[in-house]
Amino acid sequence: MISPKRRISASIAIVLAVGITPALSGCFGNPIESLVEQATGGQVDLGGKEIPEGFPSEVPLVAGDVQFGIAAGEGDSRGYNVTILAGAESPLKGIETELSDAGFEIQLQGSGSDGVGTIIFTSDAWAGGVIVAKTDDGYTANYTVAASGN
């Protein structure tokens, strides 16, 4: 059984990798993969503009162009992070509806007047969060998903 502390460490490593990787993916390679592997004690698949292998099919994703995908850990401790460019209109309400319709319990939904916000969701098998942000290119939806441990 994976301890909650290890799950939190893996989640932090995933978020850090997502935030740092674009800056490091240019001229001098990508050392983040080995750093995240060390932090999580497991396998990491960084980069790519596709949904990571093994991403739970139970978690509905907003339509759009995948900007970045990552998977870290192994077995029950595997976690995922996916960023999708969703278009010119905020997908926040649609994402919340899709998650509810898929059987997820919405633990928290916070939003601003400009269509940005956060959704925290859980089920017996999965827990995660979605952050919707506005960029120059439109709205992005960033999903972080891991086994719930229930």
Side-chain angles (χ1 to χ4, degrees):
M1 181 166 182
I2 304 301
S3 71
K5 184 176 180 181
R6 180 160 174 177
R7 269 206 190 99
I8 291 169
S9 296
S11 298
I12 291 169
I14 290 169
V15 171
L16 287 174
V18 169
I20 296 171
T21 298
L24 295 176
S25 62
C27 301
F28 53 88
N30 190 344
I32 297 300
E33 186 165 347
S34 65
L35 292 174
V36 176
E37 283 180 357
Q38 290 172 2
T40 63
Q43 180 63 34
V44 175
D45 300 314
L46 283 182
K49 290 190 172 193
E50 58 189 42
I51 308 300
E53 185 177 329
F55 187 90
S57 60
E58 302 91 344
V59 178
L61 295 172
V62 68
D65 296 326
V66 176
Q67 301 297 296
F68 188 76
I70 179 177
E74 296 179 25
D76 290 342
S77 68
R78 192 140 174 97
Y80 305 90
N81 189 282
V82 177
T83 301
I84 299 174
L85 181 59
E89 300 293 321
S90 173
L92 189 64
K93 290 195 182 293
I95 291 169
E96 182 178 10
T97 299
E98 288 179 355
L99 287 166
S100 292
D101 290 351
F104 288 93
E105 184 177 333
I106 305 301
Q107 301 294 328
L108 171 75
Q109 195 279 9
S111 61
S113 61
D114 56 355
V116 302
T118 302
I119 301 169
I120 305 297
F121 60 92
T122 60
S123 72
D124 287 342
W126 301 101
V130 181
I131 298 172
V132 174
K134 189 172 184 179
T135 69
D136 291 341
D137 297 326
Y139 286 88
T140 59
N142 178 272
Y143 293 76
T144 301
V145 180
S148 68
N150 289 335

